């Protein structure tokens, strides 16, 4: 079985198991601190268990690096890692805001830049985004790409949740230059809709994201033709670690990337 098929089947099972739980009081019950450092909610636990049970069922021989469950080894000689954020956008999932997803990525090595396969499933409507390295990005089986033409409305996606007051002024020029700023609350799905061309740029400079939040969306955005760089303009990378925090800019084309970097006070050239 191909890795991408495993990730897709796992995400579909998560969808089936959480669709009636999202937005209920029960979905938000506290299950203690997860490996990623946030409180695990019942919906996170149900979703992770769905993935882990499925991997056990098919005798998966790798290691899972999960946002809540931590590191789960399925074999003494593991063949690669599944980077799992079984529910990205947990707050939305618990409150019933219709923007949350399951994010699963596979990498043979312990770093983001080695990710070869990624799946993001919109758990509200069942849309499935996927990519394998060098093979393009897809939504429900149809090829997708970032917005390459000059858009009628230039849409800026941004994550400013919990941003430190010192970091906020740097973002002011891009926030005020656009009348179309969007912040949805699930970064993996925000990268997927960027990859689909619905948003022209996505900026998160908070240094709060973990590899689990971005691994699948990162590959989908790249395979859809997007540019994804860190705050220094270097190709985004991260080691597989719960301590490492990530900032990034995803842009639909080089011109947009240079313009955004200039507005942020970063050198326009990469
Ligand atoms: C969160 C979401 C959110 C972002 C947070 C992440 P979680 O992931 O992606 O959009 O602002 O930094 O932690 O906790 O819902 O899996
Ligand atoms: Ca997450």
């Amino acid at each position: 079985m191909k890795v991408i098929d495993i990730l897709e089947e796992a995400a579909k099972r998560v969808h089936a198991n959480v669709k009636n739980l999202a937005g209920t009081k029960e979905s938000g019950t506290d299950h203690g601190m997860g490996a990623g450092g946030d409180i695990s909610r019942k919906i996170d636990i149900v979703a992770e268990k769905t993935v882990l049970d499925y991997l056990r069922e098919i005798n998966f021989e790798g290691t899972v690096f999960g946002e809540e469950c931590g590191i789960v080894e399925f074999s003494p000689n593991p063949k690669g890692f599944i980077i799992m954020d079984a529910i990205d956008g947990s707050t939305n999932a618990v409150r019933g805001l219709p923007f949350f997803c399951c994010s699963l990525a596979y990498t043979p090595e312990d770093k983001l830049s080695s990710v070869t396969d990624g799946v993001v499933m919109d758990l509200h409507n069942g849309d499935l985004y996927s990519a394998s390295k060098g093979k393009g990005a897809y939504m429900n089986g149809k090829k997708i790409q970032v917005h390459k033409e000059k858009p009628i409305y230039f849409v800026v996606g941004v994550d400013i949740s919990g941003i430190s007051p010192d970091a906020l002024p740097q973002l002011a020029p891009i926030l005020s230059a656009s009348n179309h700023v969007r912040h949805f609350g699930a970064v993996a799905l925000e990268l997927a809709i960027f990859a689909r061309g619905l948003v022209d740029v996505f900026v998160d400079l908070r240094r709060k994201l973990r590899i689990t939040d971005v691994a699948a969306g990162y590959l989908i955005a790249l395979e859809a033709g997007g540019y994804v760089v860190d705050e220094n303009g270097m190709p985004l990378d991260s080691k597989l670690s719960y301590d490492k925090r990530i900032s990034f800019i995803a842009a639909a084309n080089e011109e947009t990337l240079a313009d955004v970097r200039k507005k942020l006070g970063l050198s326009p050239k990469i």
Side-chain angles (χ1 to χ4, degrees):
M1 199 170 181
K2 286 197 292 184
V3 166
I4 193 75
D5 296 333
I6 294 174
L7 302 184
E8 287 190 9
E9 177 59 23
K12 284 178 189 165
R13 290 187 183 203
V14 170
H15 184 224
N17 283 357
V18 305
K19 65 177 185 232
N20 295 326
L21 183 59
T24 64
K25 200 168 174 199
E26 189 194 350
S27 68
T29 47
D30 186 335
H31 283 248
M33 183 76 80
D38 295 335
I39 300 289
S40 304
R41 302 291 165 185
K42 171 146 188 182
I43 196 162
D44 299 310
I45 302 298
V46 169
E48 278 203 340
K49 185 173 179 317
T50 303
V51 177
L52 295 172
D53 286 350
Y54 170 62
L55 294 176
R56 220 166 271 125
E57 184 185 313
I58 61 164
N59 297 317
F60 174 68
E61 290 188 316
T63 294
V64 170
F65 187 91
E67 191 159 278
E68 321 294 333
C69 64
I71 293 169
V72 181
E73 288 178 345
F74 285 90
S75 154
N77 302 306
K79 295 188 182 112
F81 303 86
I82 287 181
I83 306 173
M84 167 171 76
D85 189 356
I87 303 283
D88 182 52
S90 301
T91 305
N92 287 351
V94 168
R95 295 298 301 267
L97 288 162
F99 198 89
F100 54 101
C101 65
C102 174
S103 165
L104 301 170
Y106 174 81
T107 174
E109 287 170 46
D110 57 354
K111 58 182 197 301
L112 180 65
S113 56
S114 298
V115 167
T116 58
D117 299 271
V119 161
V120 169
M121 177 149 218
D122 182 326
L123 295 173
H124 176 67
N125 65 15
D127 282 339
L128 184 69
Y129 301 85
S130 63
S132 295
K133 208 169 205 163
K135 295 189 178 155
Y138 294 81
M139 174 191 164
N140 299 331
K142 283 203 180 132
K143 206 155 192 176
I144 51 171
Q145 68 163 16
V146 294
H147 205 298
K148 290 289 182 196
E149 299 132 43
K150 202 169 172 55
I152 309 174
Y153 299 114
F154 186 78
V155 181
V156 174
V158 69
D159 196 331
I160 49 170
S161 287
I163 195 168
S164 86
D166 306 348
L168 207 43
Q170 187 187 14
L171 287 173
I174 56 161
L175 299 181
S176 54
S178 172
N179 283 326
H180 317 290
V181 176
R182 301 290 184 267
H183 182 347
F184 296 114
V187 76
L189 194 49
E190 281 162 303
L191 276 166
I193 63 168
F194 160 77
R196 191 180 149 192
L198 306 191
V199 172
D200 299 292
V201 63
F202 189 84
V203 180
D204 189 332
L205 298 180
R206 300 172 298 149
R207 284 220 147 271
K208 278 181 184 282
L209 293 171
R210 298 147 294 203
I211 191 169
T212 43
D213 300 311
V214 300
Y218 150 87
L219 183 68
I220 293 168
L222 284 183
E223 286 295 324
Y227 291 74
V228 186
V229 300
D230 67 17
E231 61 273 51
N232 301 313
M234 301 305 288
L236 187 64
D237 204 355
S238 167
K239 56 185 179 169
L240 194 58
S241 148
Y242 290 101
D243 300 329
K244 174 82 175 142
R245 298 293 153 152
I246 299 170
S247 284
F248 74 88
I249 301 167
N253 55 57
E254 238 176 301
E255 197 187 332
T256 300
L257 179 59
D259 180 55
V260 167
R261 287 181 52 78
K262 198 169 159 197
K263 288 195 170 73
L264 291 168
L266 306 167
S267 67
K269 278 257 170 238
I270 47 168

